[in-house]
Amino acid sequence: MTDLADLTIAQARAGLRDGSFTSIDLLDAAQRRAAVSEPHLHAYLTIDREGAREAAVAADRSIADGDTRPLVGIPIALKDNMVTKGVETTAGSQILAGWTPPYDGTAVRRLREAGAVIVGKTNLDEFAMGSSTENSAYGPTRNPWNTDTVPGGSSGGSAAVVAVGSALGAFGSDTGGSIRQPASLTGTVGAKPTYGLVSRYGLIAFASSLDQIGPIAQTVPDAATLLEAVAGWDPLDATSFHGDVPAISRSLDAGVGGLRIGVVRELVGSGIEPDVLGATQATIDRLADAGADVVELSVPAIEYALSAYYLIAPAECSSNLARFDGVRYGLRVDGATTEEMMAKTRADGFGPEVIRRILLGTYALSAGYYDAFYGQSQRVRTLLRRDFAAAYDQVDVLVSPTSPSTAFEIGSKTADPYTMYLSDICTIATNLAGDPAISVPVGLGNDRLPIGFQIMAPALGEEVMFRVAAEVERGAAFVERAQLATSEVVTP
Ligand code: GLN
């Protein structure tokens, strides 16, 4: 019999509905998987045994009364920058150690209302700044496919728990690729929705004009189900989109016949590993065989996206993180004056990458440099929007690899931030444009580690994006799972 920890959300839902097992059974299976995998992975920062059990008991009662909502009774995990009432929320930082929020963020509240069972909070790069989860103040998370490698980041914990089966689905946040890149590196599906589609209320802010919450799952339909549960207008987030939510899962079975697909020339050239390029090309060929009209086209401003992002994101973070001053939340290091207390708290509480970003951002925003750095980056952003709009006049979706490489070794990029920043070369432009994008696993590289394929769509184009993603998934028939998930655990 299949271990319940290996089910997709769709399978779990069917089994709950026909009474084959209960939500408590699913939770037990996820927790057993966590007990085996966590010593190797460190993907969870907090496991909420009591809260999860209560939710599962309530879900089983509700299911017995005929509740068939898609997430009722399903064990899911949340990135630890999503604020959860009564459950410690650290954002991977020492500065928030021990902070227990008095409220739920909107996405969290919607998940609880949908009957989901929240298993725990997952590890991340401190304040979501990073691409490997090595910047967590609580130590790195490892990739279940090979524990010498990173799971990507910053939502590395969420990607790892889904890959290994210690939750059936998870949520992360994506500011420059932090859902899609870890999904790519762990053989899971990860989607970044259109900016404004999911409320940011209760998401600890990194760069507010770029941050979006989104799902990580084993399959495209599961990712659609998770996103549907949290999408939609929220009066508590002034940037929330006030209109109809796209029909995210309506066209999953529609195929790609007649769709126009554009391969982004700038993202299939130098800097991308040959086996990643090979898997990308094979996927494109399958889409053409399935009836799509494939063309190669250019989004020229992509060339400047990384530079613009590494000014805009730090600029916004320097302002957002000003609130961590030792007065309101978490850590306080005493000093002779208030100013000294604040300075000591921030020096001790923030890790090196966060300090680097705050310094960069403060510099980019300072008088005399503002126009040359921040102003110029905003102009790049306008150019990017224009280039994407021109591309979407010709095609329905754009495609590329998600990450230039498969999972890299722990420690191999920590000494050189620029090399680490290059991990986001394929994902960052869509955040600057505000558009949605999704990563779907399509195969394994020469190192037997997963490769992800990215599908980008115009704002609110989730329906066509998920439609193409579902075809990519069917075509790739990627069924491999991480070793830790399926065989006995070998001590590394
Ligand atoms: N890796 C990018 C960064 O370090 C993106 C992070 C994210 O999307 N949260 O900023």
Side-chain angles (χ1 to χ4, degrees):
M1 191 195 142
T2 339
D3 188 323
L4 296 185
D6 293 321
L7 297 184
T8 64
I9 293 175
Q11 290 166 335
R13 185 184 171 192
L16 286 174
R17 207 183 291 183
D18 68 21
S20 307
F21 44 78
T22 64
S23 174
I24 287 285
D25 295 333
L26 288 173
L27 177 64
D28 284 344
Q31 287 177 339
R32 271 198 308 273
R33 185 60 60 80
V36 178
S37 56
E38 275 306 294
H40 304 272
L41 301 182
H42 184 46
Y44 280 104
L45 290 178
T46 303
I47 293 189
D48 180 17
R49 289 186 184 285
E50 221 170 283
R53 187 145 293 266
E54 267 171 41
V57 168
D60 281 331
R61 225 177 281 134
S62 180
I63 292 165
D65 288 342
D67 187 345
T68 58
R69 289 173 305 159
L71 288 185
V72 65
I74 303 294
I76 64 159
L78 304 175
K79 186 176 183 177
D80 202 29
N81 60 354
M82 294 171 73
V83 166
T84 44
K85 185 176 180 176
V87 179
E88 186 179 0
T89 300
T90 67
S93 182
Q94 272 310 334
I95 212 158
L96 277 175
W99 183 55
T100 304
Y103 71 105
D104 276 333
T106 298
V108 178
R109 180 175 54 76
R110 287 186 180 167
L111 288 167
R112 289 198 207 277
E113 285 170 4
V117 173
I118 296 168
V119 184
K121 308 293 294 291
T122 59
N123 199 10
L124 67 158
D125 289 298
E126 185 174 357
F127 287 105
M129 296 172 196
S131 308
S132 68
T133 316
E134 290 166 296
N135 295 338
S136 168
Y138 303 97
T141 293
R142 289 167 186 270
N143 190 325
W145 288 81
N146 174 348
T147 51
D148 292 332
T149 67
V150 303
S154 61
S155 312
S158 286
V161 300
V162 172
V164 85
S166 54
L168 297 194
F171 283 85
S173 64
D174 191 312
T175 305
S178 276
I179 290 173
R180 291 161 285 159
Q181 185 258 16
S184 178
L185 271 47
T186 57
T188 55
V189 175
K192 175 233 174 268
T194 302
Y195 184 78
L197 193 61
V198 180
S199 170
R200 290 182 298 106
Y201 179 72
L203 172 67
I204 295 175
F206 162 15
S208 306
S209 76
L210 303 162
D211 300 340
Q212 269 297 285
I213 289 172
I216 297 180
Q218 273 188 66
T219 67
V220 171
D222 281 2
T225 301
L226 290 170
L227 178 54
E228 275 166 340
V230 297
W233 183 63
D234 176 18
L236 298 175
D237 171 3
T239 62
S240 162
F241 172 66
H242 199 169
D244 291 338
V245 172
I248 298 163
S249 59
R250 178 162 58 198
S251 302
L252 291 175
D253 299 322
V256 292
L259 288 183
R260 295 160 308 163
I261 294 179
V263 180
V264 180
R265 189 171 298 139
E266 287 76 10
L267 300 179
V268 289
S270 63
I272 314 288
E273 281 181 2
D275 49 349
V276 174
L277 280 181
T280 305
Q281 190 55 50
T283 307
I284 292 166
D285 293 345
R286 281 194 299 269
L287 286 169
D289 288 345
D293 189 2
V294 180
V295 294
E296 189 171 299
L297 48 72
S298 183
V299 184
I302 278 187
E303 198 190 330
Y304 310 110
L306 197 70
S307 317
Y309 172 88
Y310 276 100
L311 288 165
I312 293 170
E316 294 185 16
C317 110
S318 70
S319 150
N320 273 327
L321 270 55
R323 76 191 70 176
F324 301 106
D325 55 8
V327 175
R328 281 168 281 200
Y329 327 81
L331 183 76
R332 173 179 302 171
V333 181
D334 286 334
T337 61
T338 307
E339 211 179 349
E340 194 184 306
M341 178 279 286
M342 288 181 177
K344 281 187 165 168
T345 301
R346 287 168 67 82
D348 277 14
F350 289 138
E353 182 64 22
V354 173
I355 289 176
R356 180 179 297 122
R357 305 275 181 120
I358 292 173
L359 289 173
L360 259 174
T362 307
Y363 186 75
L365 287 175
S366 56
Y369 296 104
Y370 183 92
D371 199 55
F373 293 127
Y374 193 69
Q376 196 70 355
S377 306
Q378 293 293 18
R379 283 189 278 277
V380 168
R381 203 165 177 177
T382 305
L383 274 184
L384 254 177
R385 285 217 185 91
R386 225 179 272 163
D387 285 359
F388 271 117
Y392 290 127
D393 277 344
Q394 298 174 55
V395 294
D396 297 294
V397 296
L398 293 168
V399 297
S400 76
T402 307
S403 161
S405 72
T406 56
F408 42 91
E409 267 183 41
I410 295 216
S412 63
K413 297 190 188 208
T414 37
D416 181 1
Y418 181 65
T419 327
M420 189 72 92
Y421 297 171
L422 284 174
S423 300
D424 304 309
I425 194 92
C426 302
T427 50
I428 266 176
T430 43
N431 297 76
L432 290 167
D435 294 341
I438 188 168
S439 178
V440 180
V442 291
L444 297 178
N446 299 334
D447 48 15
R448 309 294 301 159
L449 294 174
I451 294 172
F453 182 81
Q454 178 175 237
I455 301 130
M456 300 165 257
L460 300 172
E462 272 82 358
E463 182 177 348
V464 70
M465 179 178 92
F466 274 91
R467 177 176 166 189
V468 176
E471 181 62 43
V472 166
E473 181 170 72
R474 282 189 292 271
F478 181 83
V479 290
E480 284 91 343
R481 289 210 67 177
Q483 272 315 98
L484 260 181
T486 51
S487 60
E488 275 159 303
V489 176
V490 192
T491 311

